[in-house]
Amino acid sequence: MGTAPSAAREASASVRVSRRNGASPYLLVCDHASNFIPAHFGTLGLDEAELTRHIAWDPGALPVVTRMSDALDATLVESRVSRLIIDCNRPLDAPDLISPVSETTVVPGNAELSEADRHERIALSWRPFHDTIADVVAERLAEGRETRLVSVHSFTPVYKGVDRPWHIGIIHDEDDRLARPMIGALKGVVGLEVGVNQPYSPADRVYYTLERHGRARDLACAMIEIRNDEIGDEAGQRKWAELLSAILAGVNPANSSIPATTTRQER
């Protein structure tokens, strides 16, 4: 499955930070930004077409969150390695950290991995991603800068044969300082179906990055899930980035106010 030196060389390119000194209180995160698989892993035994599917990444999420970073002047941390190699939004003891089956697709290259194989993947992608977020958060807090964490994902319109009607979902736990005003603003958009802890919730073990870096420090945080047919082209990506940026710009976690300027928008 490759050598430790090759993994070490690639680790430096497995995470990217944009606008590190951005003025916004928001720190944006994209755990599943890329479907890139380093060459020494081959295709993990999958057809090339499989690597463009949602099993490999969150299609559309990176263009949306990049536009949001630009609009808000917000720092963005993105993983640059496919979640088929290792899922950065899972704890190290999670059964789906390195999935031998993703949704219903068998991933031959993830079967029967040795401990050395696992450690190689952790060092390649998972560790640099989380170390980078931790460093950025620590820098901001040392400077006395308010920090709010928001992760951006996409989800499939149909999962294992079940339709998902929501255009967007906001995922949160008991801390709803960001989620509550975001949900309120989104529900004011005519024709928009908003999921609250849909299509996932923290109980589904999808909240790890925010738990590790946000909740552990009592930082306001929330997760955004956009249905990927909504952001399959530039027009959709721009529309959602503009809407979400406007909502986040108007949020005040201190009183969880709903940004009034967004409540009359239409889809």
Side-chain angles (χ1 to χ4, degrees), residues 161-185:
V162 178
D163 289 338
R164 291 159 146 182
W166 313 282
H167 300 105
I168 187 169
I170 303 298
I171 316 305
H172 68 93
D173 59 10
E174 62 271 17
D175 176 13
D176 64 355
R177 287 173 290 174
L178 290 182
R180 180 152 40 103
M182 290 169 63
I183 292 164

Side-chain angles (χ1 to χ4, degrees), residues 96-264:
D96 54 351
L97 177 71
I98 304 172
S99 291
V101 179
S102 183
E103 296 181 13
T104 60
T105 300
V106 175
V107 186
N110 287 351
E112 299 181 0
L113 297 184
S114 68
E115 279 303 302
D117 292 333
R118 287 176 54 85
H119 287 305
E120 176 190 7
R121 297 193 189 198
I122 292 167
L124 167 67
S125 180
W126 191 97
R127 188 75 64 192
F129 180 70
H130 287 289
D131 285 353
T132 298
I133 297 174
D135 288 346
V136 171
V137 170
E139 288 172 10
R140 295 174 65 96
L141 297 183
E143 295 167 2
R145 299 176 60 191
E146 181 186 1
T147 300
R148 313 168 186 173
L149 266 66
V150 174
S151 62
V152 177
H153 297 254
S154 69
F155 67 95
T156 56
V158 179
Y159 181 70
K160 294 184 177 180
V162 178
D163 289 338
R164 291 159 146 182
W166 313 282
H167 300 105
I168 187 169
I170 303 298
I171 316 305
H172 68 93
D173 59 10
E174 62 271 17
D175 176 13
D176 64 355
R177 287 173 290 174
L178 290 182
R180 180 152 40 103
M182 290 169 63
I183 292 164
L186 287 164
K187 285 188 172 181
V189 179
V190 176
L192 195 63
E193 187 72 27
V194 181
V196 179
N197 282 329
Q198 295 287 357
Y200 306 105
S201 78
D204 297 311
R205 306 188 318 273
V206 299
Y207 213 62
Y208 175 72
T209 296
L210 295 182
E211 289 173 346
R212 179 184 177 98
H213 301 286
R215 298 292 284 126
R217 294 178 170 87
D218 196 31
L219 303 177
C221 56
M223 180 175 174
I224 298 171
E225 285 272 3
I226 309 168
R227 204 174 66 198
N228 64 27
D229 60 339
E230 289 280 311
I231 51 176
D233 58 23
E234 185 177 354
Q237 293 156 8
R238 181 171 55 252
K239 177 188 73 176
W240 277 102
E242 289 174 355
L243 175 60
L244 291 167
S245 297
I247 290 173
L248 289 178
V251 166
N252 180 358
N255 60 19
S256 293
S257 61
I258 296 174
T261 56
T262 65
T263 59
R264 289 186 293 275

